[in-house]
Each structure stands twice: as C-alpha cells, then as structure tokens.
Amino acid sequence: MTFSAEGRDNCVVIAGTPYVYATVGGRGFVMRARCPHRGGPLHLAGVAEDGVRLVCPWHERKTSVARMRAEVPAVRVGGRVTAVFPERPAAGGWPAPPQDCAVGLEHRPLAPALSRPSRAG
C-alpha cells in the first residue's frame, strides 16, 4: 500500500486500524496510530527521554519504537511511503488485519516529536 508521508492522506486505515508514517531519532517508519494499551492516539505521542519509546498522550504508557519499526516494513521515496502490511502477526505482536478488509486513507495530525524530517528509509 502506498500513501503520503505527511499532510493529506497521511494515514492508511486497514480493517479499522490506522497507520501513519513517523520519524524518531532521524529514522522513519510506519506505525499503528493507536496505542496497544487502550487505543489512545499514538500519532500524537511524545518521545520518552531515552529516545527509544513513545509515550501515549492518554495514559503515559511507553511503547518501544524498535518494536513498532519491526511490525510494518516500509520504504519512503520523496513524499510517498510504500508499506507491506503483514498477513500474520509477529510473535507476541498485535493481530494482523484480515486479508479481505476495507482500506481507506485519512488525515491524522502528527505530534511534532514524530514529524521531524528523516534520513532515507
């Protein structure tokens, strides 16, 4: 699936689960826009002081950036991102979306900590 890295249509929604392109520590990746804890708006998260975890704006639960980077393989070229959404969940990860599911595009604002320019990737 290819979508915009920022601005209009920067969020792909697959079977009701939103995904956005984010940047932490100068490295970009596609992540679920909902916190695994209680579904908080993770696209509005802050970055923990250690720089390796996102902090949910609802309950301040911390989620590993490395874990999120590993979930959805993606490549950014210019302003577009191409992501490969898994057919099966990773061990211990969130469930993958069903193969026959609705796909749409939306706009989700990103927290400033997640929208800094990235290097390639």
Side-chain angles (χ1 to χ4, degrees), residues 2-61:
T2 299
F3 60 102
S4 180
E6 53 193 42
R8 181 181 169 98
D9 294 338
N10 73 326
C11 176
V12 61
V13 181
I14 299 176
T17 301
Y19 296 85
V20 295
Y21 182 82
T23 304
V24 174
R27 293 182 57 206
F29 60 102
V30 171
M31 66 176 227
R32 289 180 189 251
R34 287 192 190 135
C35 178
H37 178 228
R38 295 229 174 141
L42 209 52
H43 61 285
L44 299 177
V47 177
E49 289 181 17
D50 61 14
V52 297
R53 294 177 293 165
L54 299 183
V55 180
C56 177
W58 280 7
H59 300 100
E60 297 184 8
R61 179 179 171 139

Side-chain angles (χ1 to χ4, degrees), residues 55-79:
V55 180
C56 177
W58 280 7
H59 300 100
E60 297 184 8
R61 179 179 171 139
K62 294 178 175 84
T63 302
S64 165
V65 171
R67 175 181 163 208
M68 299 187 91
R69 277 191 182 115
E71 284 187 351
V72 181
V75 174
R76 178 176 178 169
V77 177

